Amino acid sequence: MRVFITGASGWIGSAVVPELIGAGHQVVGLARSDTSAAALAEAGAEVRLGTLDDLDTLRRAAADADGVIHLAFKHDIAFSGGFEDAADADRRAIDTFGEVLAGSDRPFLIASGTLGLAPGRVATERDGQDSGPVGARLAGGPARRMANAQATVALADRGIRSSVVRLPPTVHGDGDHGFLAGVVAIAQEKGVSGYIGDGANRWPAVHRSDAAHLFRLALEGAPAGSTLHAVSDEGVPIRAVAEVIGRHLGLPAASVSAADAPGHFSWLAGFLGMDSPASSAHTRELLGWQPAQPGLIDDLDKGHYFAAVPKN
């Protein structure tokens, strides 16, 4: 297939591109900078210059494609007070793709998240499918982003083979600059590898390469209206993560009270305190997806998260 990808040079996209090309697909990637364009060209993708706000560019690229994978999201403004604006830009892109692909039975995939779907219990692919209890717990940008995922699933009724791939908060691997890298940096800065409370709260996780493989399987065969979980580790206790980080940095692992967490972890505090495990049993059964890369703790133990970090 000829596949158009937004966010093609990002952390997930830069793994999806070679995964698709290696399987014989042709990739057209959206690039908003010369650096991104050069990286995509080097990976073997065709480059389409533009941004998520260039709706005419998105429209033309989708019309010329056999399928679309929408990975771009304005994380830079989302985590600096503009989450609603980021979610609104995401919705405009989704609506644009929906208009172009309607009635074509072509695949359309977006990335979403598992965090907060079912606090305190294992979330499944069935959670968050309507505006019920999950939506009631959310507000502002997060609520709008969940609505975007629900709108994508609903595109199945318009003749689009739509699917949502939910990613855990930790999509780990060599080169990660996301949540986990942020936790490592905070530990180094504070001189302690912290966790909130007793640290028993759990995060799901997946290796970036395994996530990329699921995107390909979904592109090729996910039924219309599918919700999929790219989850390898169902729930890793945050205390276990802190202990590995502390061991590699030569720092003690210690509890941080909920009251002190915002001052210690900054914007990460709200996420780091969540107990939000998730299952991928339905996804594995539906598409035969079997994660093959190291789990989160094993990947942390490989040391690449600490290669450039001075140790105490």
Side-chain angles (χ1 to χ4, degrees):
M1 284 184 274
R2 178 179 172 87
V3 185
F4 177 56
I5 305 181
T6 70
S9 61
W11 174 238
I12 306 298
S14 58
V16 172
V17 168
E19 171 76 22
L20 296 185
I21 291 175
H25 300 294
Q26 179 185 1
V27 173
V28 181
L30 184 70
R32 61 177 180 172
S33 70
D34 292 340
T35 301
S36 296
L40 286 173
E42 184 177 354
E46 182 181 326
V47 176
R48 186 68 61 97
L49 292 172
T51 71
L52 203 57
D53 295 319
D54 296 332
L55 299 183
D56 286 340
T57 297
L58 302 187
R59 190 174 289 110
R60 289 191 295 268
D64 195 35
D66 300 311
V68 174
I69 300 179
H70 174 44
L71 302 176
F73 190 76
K74 295 184 176 183
H75 291 97
D76 52 345
I77 67 171
F79 294 125
S80 60
F83 207 129
E84 291 190 20
D85 291 336
D88 288 346
D90 185 48
R91 183 57 176 266
R92 288 191 292 271
I94 290 169
D95 289 345
T96 297
F97 290 134
E99 292 168 6
V100 174
L101 299 175
S104 69
D105 291 322
R106 284 179 280 176
F108 173 46
L109 285 64
I110 74 161
S112 188
T114 66
L115 196 62
L117 278 174
R121 67 170 176 82
V122 178
T124 74
E125 292 87 344
R126 293 181 179 85
D127 287 302
Q129 296 291 347
D130 53 41
S131 57
V134 176
R137 288 195 298 269
L138 302 175
R144 293 189 189 189
R145 196 174 189 194
M146 176 168 285
N148 292 351
Q150 292 166 350
T152 299
V153 170
L155 288 174
D157 295 332
R158 296 176 58 190
I160 300 172
R161 188 159 60 81
S162 61
S163 56
V164 173
V165 179
R166 290 177 179 158
L167 297 164
T170 297
V171 182
H172 55 88
D174 195 356
D176 175 20
H177 296 291
F179 281 168
L180 199 56
V183 173
V184 171
I186 290 170
Q188 180 65 24
E189 175 191 349
K190 301 292 186 179
V192 61
S193 183
Y195 52 87
I196 299 174
D198 63 5
N201 60 298
R202 300 153 292 173
W203 270 17
V206 69
H207 193 280
R208 181 175 71 135
S209 296
D210 286 325
H213 183 55
L214 178 58
F215 273 101
R216 177 170 70 82
L217 293 179
L219 175 81
E220 294 172 345
S226 297
T227 297
L228 308 167
H229 279 188
V231 171
S232 178
D233 289 314
E234 187 172 281
V236 181
I238 296 299
R239 180 171 181 168
V241 173
E243 288 171 345
V244 176
I245 292 172
R247 186 171 71 250
H248 278 270
L249 294 179
L251 299 172
S255 173
V256 176
S257 71
D260 292 337
H264 186 94
F265 295 106
S266 185
W267 64 274
L268 268 171
F271 300 103
L272 206 58
M274 286 186 175
D275 182 40
S276 196
S279 166
S280 59
H282 173 70
T283 298
R284 297 183 193 216
E285 180 180 356
L286 181 68
L287 295 178
W289 178 64
Q290 291 296 330
Q293 301 300 319
L296 176 57
I297 297 300
D298 287 344
D299 198 25
L300 271 172
D301 260 333
K302 287 181 177 293
H304 52 79
Y305 277 95
F306 316 99
V309 178
K311 299 177 177 58
N312 287 357

